[in-house]
Amino acid sequence: MEKERKYFEEVDAFELLEESPSPKNTWFAGNETDNIEVPQLTLRLQKWLVSKKLDFNCGQSSTLSKIFESPGMLHSEPVGGDNLNPIILGSSDESSQKSYSGLHSVHRRVNSFLLGKDVAGMLHSDNLNPIILDSSDESSQKSYSGLHSVHRRVNLFLLGKDVAERDSHAQKSSSMMASLRADNCIDIEDAVRKLSLASTYTSISQDYVDPFTSLLAVCGQSAPSTLLDVLSKYCDPKSIVKVGEGTYGEVFKIGNGVCKIVPIDGELRVNGEVQKRSEELLEEVVLSRTLNHLRANDGNMQNACTSFIETLDLRVCQGPYDHALVRAWEDWDEEHGSENDHPKGFPEKQCYVVFVLRHGGDDLESFVLLNFAEAQSLLCQVTAALAVSEAAYEFEHRDLHWGNILLYRSETPSVQFMLEGNKMVFSTSGILISIIDFTLSRINTGEDILYLDLSSDPYLFKGPKGDRQADTYRKMKEVTGDFWNGSFPRTNVLWLLYLVDILLLKKSFERSSKNERELRSLKKRLERCNSAKEAIADPFFRDLLVEQG
């Protein structure tokens, strides 16, 4: 023991003058660390320091590790006007390409947001940094004038009546941060200096914008609304009537439109399922806005149609279900027997996304077709709409079962489609259709590809054999090779084949044996088509063509 004690005393007395530097020169000897240039504090640190400066009762400082934690952005926090750093997505990690149902960075989603007419005049605003996209597909580089980076989107959103106040606040914050560096920042900067790896600086210098905040920005909001505030704009709340339901939400009739209310981000299970996250709804919101653009036929559009449901409004809401909605839900339950949980179970701070849509009629499952002409018109309108959306956005619906096609009777004699600059006018035979529900859809907005990675939902492909809908999901998987990011317009044809089977097997309407043969012949020809754009040229639709040019 005595020998060991002397040995360690000798070692302790030895002065280590310089430690060999690591290959990356991240460690230094003596006082050289004093010369390390500390990067600018992250926005999160700056906000913390401001709050520390202003709140003298805040107690002890938070630990550095807690400050660096990814923030759980409070849903009531308004969108800030701070700098939003772009997220650069790599493609080398194969596993990362299958992350959460094909959902990509929040910034890329908002890239695809179509600005409404209220900010259309502001598109000339400041020089803003572009987003770097993970896209090797040349088609995804197609330009589209309505789509801009997240920086432009959020900056335009913030250009409102309070811009002067924001500028004043920014100047005060800048001045305050300069003074804070002399005192309060010292402890934080010292801690930052001690972080040994340079890569850590890079990772923390990117300010984080959570999906919920981006969802607010896309919907043109700084904070959530209440359900009643949104719905009362369209009708007297006492007149609200529930008209349908799904696993993830409820559908109510409000005036001349309908609204779909989808709870998000909560811990409470909805009808036995985990609530959808902001990321998922952000995809659907952006996709709905993009398809809405097909309706704006100003004479210069190469591709246009009105067969996708019109989205009138998109809002983020927070709070309990209003009494008017509860009453409408209970009336439906009494008459139809709801399969969903009672909405009274939602907590006080539950968040929702509200889709306000044009009323498109009844779904094909419940709509009564009268004759073959109506069935023919149905197939024609669906095929033409898919063809237009393929040409415009490489759109694939990927879930076009008979519950996602709405129909209503109309005296409008014809309906027009623009396909790659060519006008096609078809007879309606007295019905008009609307395609809804883009949850599983894939689209190329021109700046980004939005899709749902269906490989993360294996149960989707395990439906009973012989069931037309379940079989179609499995055929899609074969066509795509389980690579759901890619463009496979053949998936649209698979759903057209499904619709022909539905008309032959499950829908009763007045038809002759000749009509049945025509449907079966169409099905054989569709088997050889690789896109709806090919399918719309089929002779089956020629009889309905009123005008072409």
Side-chain angles (χ1 to χ4, degrees):
M1 291 293 293
E2 182 63 23
K3 287 182 179 180
E4 289 183 356
R5 185 181 63 79
K6 289 181 178 181
Y7 170 77
F8 284 111
E9 284 178 353
E10 182 180 353
V11 172
D12 291 340
F14 179 76
E15 183 177 359
L16 183 62
L17 297 179
E18 181 175 358
E19 182 177 354
S20 299
S22 69
K24 294 185 179 180
N25 290 322
T26 55
W27 293 95
F28 299 86
N31 294 326
E32 289 182 7
T33 53
D34 295 338
N35 298 323
I36 301 175
E37 181 179 354
V38 179
Q40 182 180 5
L41 292 175
T42 65
L43 185 61
R44 198 167 308 114
L45 284 174
Q46 291 182 354
K47 288 180 178 178
W48 177 82
L49 289 171
V50 170
S51 65
K52 178 181 176 184
K53 184 75 173 180
L54 296 179
D55 184 2
F56 298 101
N57 297 319
C58 63
Q60 292 183 340
S61 302
S62 298
T63 62
L64 188 63
S65 61
K66 286 190 176 182
I67 297 169
F68 284 159
E69 286 175 355
S70 296
M73 185 73 71
L74 292 178
H75 289 178
S76 59
E77 180 178 341
V79 177
D82 310 86
N83 295 329
L84 302 176
N85 294 325
I87 292 180
I88 302 175
L89 297 180
S91 58
S92 58
D93 184 356
E94 183 176 346
S95 63
S96 68
Q97 300 304 310
K98 292 188 176 181
S99 62
Y100 192 63
S101 301
L103 303 177
H104 306 290
S105 80
V106 172
H107 301 276
R108 294 181 59 190
R109 271 164 196 69
V110 186
N111 264 346
S112 307
F113 168 44
L114 292 173
L115 290 174
K117 58 185 178 182
D118 56 325
V119 293
M122 296 189 286
L123 293 178
H124 62 281
S125 67
D126 341 323
N127 294 326
L128 300 165
N129 295 328
I131 297 288
I132 299 178
L133 299 177
D134 175 17
S135 177
S136 57
D137 187 355
E138 290 184 6
S139 63
S140 68
Q141 303 302 321
K142 296 176 183 176
S143 60
Y144 182 68
S145 61
L147 305 175
H148 301 273
S149 75
V150 61
H151 301 277
R152 180 174 295 276
R153 197 80 67 259
V154 178
N155 273 278
L156 288 175
F157 166 69
L158 294 174
L159 286 175
K161 58 184 178 181
D162 59 342
V163 67
E165 180 182 345
R166 290 180 182 275
D167 289 343
S168 174
H169 176 72
Q171 292 175 2
K172 291 178 181 178
S173 296
S174 178
S175 175
M176 180 177 293
M177 291 314 302
S179 65
L180 284 174
R181 280 190 177 277
D183 41 55
N184 296 64
C185 286
I186 295 176
D187 56 338
I188 300 300
E189 293 191 359
D190 285 343
V192 172
R193 285 192 182 95
K194 295 178 181 178
L195 296 175
S196 60
L197 297 179
S199 60
T200 306
Y201 290 141
T202 303
S203 66
I204 65 173
S205 64
Q206 300 279 351
D207 192 46
Y208 175 77
V209 179
D210 73 314
F212 186 86
T213 302
S214 292
L215 188 58
L216 281 171
V218 168
C219 293
Q221 299 172 253
S222 60
S225 306
T226 67
L227 290 170
L228 186 60
D229 285 343
V230 175
L231 303 182
S232 59
K233 292 193 304 183
Y234 298 93
C235 69
D236 180 349
K238 295 180 180 178
S239 67
I240 295 176
V241 177
K242 178 176 171 177
V243 294
E245 62 183 22
T247 302
Y248 293 100
E250 309 282 350
V251 182
F252 298 88
K253 187 176 185 301
I254 52 170
N256 294 324
V258 297
C259 75
K260 179 172 71 170
I261 302 176
V262 182
I264 61 169
D265 292 343
E267 298 302 322
L268 179 72
R269 285 185 172 264
V270 177
N271 310 314
E273 300 291 337
V274 176
Q275 290 187 27
K276 287 184 173 291
R277 316 314 295 177
S278 293
E279 297 95 318
E280 297 175 86
L281 269 297
L282 190 53
E283 290 275 355
E284 190 171 351
V285 165
V286 171
L287 204 150
S288 296
R289 285 192 180 277
T290 305
L291 290 175
N292 238 26
H293 186 74
L294 290 175
R295 307 182 68 87
N297 188 3
D298 55 7
N300 298 319
M301 293 185 64
Q302 292 293 299
N303 299 287
C305 73
T306 58
S307 297
F308 292 95
I309 195 69
E310 183 177 5
T311 303
L312 303 176
D313 199 2
L314 291 159
R315 307 295 289 177
V316 179
C317 296
Q318 187 174 28
Y321 253 58
D322 185 77
H323 175 73
L325 291 172
V326 171
R327 174 198 52 77
W329 190 95
E330 290 175 344
D331 289 346
W332 164 275
D333 183 38
E334 185 176 344
E335 182 176 354
H336 302 278
S338 177
E339 296 181 5
N340 287 0
D341 298 334
H342 198 295
K344 279 185 176 180
F346 287 120
E348 290 292 317
K349 294 186 178 181
Q350 176 67 52
C351 290
Y352 314 86
V353 173
V354 177
F355 295 80
V356 181
L357 310 169
R358 182 81 62 191
H359 197 331
D362 298 323
D363 61 41
L364 177 58
E365 184 176 4
S366 57
F367 188 85
V368 178
L369 292 169
L370 300 180
N371 50 52
F372 177 75
E374 290 185 352
Q376 187 179 25
S377 178
L378 159 69
L379 288 171
C380 180
Q381 291 181 54
V382 171
T383 305
L386 292 176
V388 168
S389 60
E390 281 178 1
Y393 303 119
E394 296 180 355
F395 174 79
E396 299 167 43
H397 191 284
R398 296 182 172 178
D399 195 25
L400 199 55
H401 56 76
W402 63 351
N404 285 337
I405 299 173
L406 304 183
L407 303 93
Y408 69 96
R409 302 198 179 281
S410 171
E411 296 181 359
T412 304
S414 61
V415 58
Q416 177 176 307
F417 299 85
M418 290 291 294
L419 178 60
E420 296 180 331
N422 298 314
K423 182 170 70 172
M424 300 182 298
V425 182
F426 293 100
S427 171
T428 65
S429 298
I431 64 168
L432 288 173
I433 70 105
S434 293
I435 297 173
I436 64 170
D437 196 348
F438 313 120
T439 305
L440 306 189
S441 300
R442 186 260 188 200
I443 196 169
N444 182 347
T445 66
E447 289 192 356
D448 199 6
I449 295 174
L450 308 178
Y451 69 103
L452 200 66
D453 187 1
L454 300 184
S455 65
S456 65
D457 186 10
Y459 293 101
L460 185 67
F461 309 101
K462 294 183 179 180
K465 292 183 178 181
D467 179 87
R468 293 301 191 274
Q469 185 174 337
D471 287 343
T472 304
Y473 293 135
R474 285 187 282 269
K475 290 176 183 176
M476 280 202 306
K477 186 174 182 178
E478 292 176 7
V479 167
T480 63
D482 225 15
F483 178 66
W484 300 98
N485 180 32
S487 175
F488 301 97
R490 169 71 179 171
T491 63
N492 285 332
V493 178
L494 295 178
W495 287 104
L496 293 176
L497 290 166
Y498 158 88
L499 288 176
V500 174
D501 279 338
I502 288 296
L503 293 175
L504 284 170
L505 302 173
K506 295 191 175 184
K507 297 299 293 185
S508 59
F509 51 88
E510 184 180 327
R511 58 193 180 196
S512 63
S513 57
K514 177 177 179 293
N515 297 150
E516 294 235 357
R517 288 195 300 272
E518 289 177 351
L519 284 171
R520 297 184 189 280
S521 295
L522 171 64
K523 183 179 176 181
K524 289 182 180 179
R525 293 191 297 272
L526 287 177
E527 290 283 6
R528 299 191 293 270
C529 291
N530 290 312
S531 67
K533 195 168 74 170
E534 288 182 29
I536 194 60
D538 191 272
F540 182 83
F541 305 119
R542 201 167 293 157
D543 293 342
L544 296 175
L545 190 61
V546 176
E547 181 184 348
Q548 186 175 17

